[in-house]
Amino acid sequence: MGDAQGARGVERRHPGLGGVKRALWGLCGGLALGLAVVGAVLPLLPTVPFLLLAALCFSKASDRWHRWLLSHPRFGPPIRDWRARGAVSRRAKMFASIWMALALALSLAVGVPIWAMTAQTMVLICVAVFLWTRPD
């Protein structure tokens, strides 16, 4: 049967995963989804990485939650784009780049030590290069 549910609509169990493991995966998925929701509101917290983590966790915990997340009108498209093409929207790239630059400026303004500024700059450059080399 190609459907994720049995004849009576009962969710199919994942082979090899006990109830405790599924519950832990579900808990981690819920936590990641919560962080993604917060990240949609707070600019310095990323949204899509937490959505991808939630999708992974839900895929191991619950077919129903996994399908819900992938079909969600707001959260589903970035997950599907990443899975299909490793794509990040141009809007997300611009948004992330602006906030990375603002984070560096704020660090400079508050007098973060040079070694920390250097480390932060190197990490953010790597993140920016990664983002901008992904398809739109």
Side-chain angles (χ1 to χ4, degrees), residues 2-118:
D3 190 22
Q5 296 184 349
R8 290 191 269 166
V10 176
E11 188 171 337
R12 182 189 66 197
R13 299 284 182 203
H14 291 273
L17 284 182
V20 173
K21 285 184 182 178
R22 284 172 38 98
L24 287 174
W25 279 113
L27 182 64
C28 289
L31 179 62
L33 180 59
L35 289 170
V37 169
V38 171
V41 178
L42 296 178
L44 291 177
L45 188 65
T47 301
V48 175
F50 288 118
L51 285 176
L52 296 174
L53 180 59
L56 170 71
C57 293
F58 287 152
S59 75
K60 296 184 179 296
S62 167
D63 290 330
R64 181 172 45 109
W65 278 94
H66 187 242
R67 282 192 316 271
W68 172 83
L69 185 58
L70 291 177
S71 64
H72 190 277
R74 175 92 170 136
F75 299 136
I79 298 168
R80 291 190 306 268
D81 288 346
W82 179 259
R83 285 184 172 177
R85 304 183 327 274
V88 177
S89 72
R90 184 166 299 270
R91 181 178 180 269
K93 291 176 188 178
M94 291 296 293
F95 193 70
S97 297
I98 289 167
W99 283 104
M100 286 187 284
L102 289 173
L104 282 175
L106 180 62
S107 295
L108 188 61
V110 298
V112 171
I114 190 70
W115 64 267
M117 279 297 298
T118 303

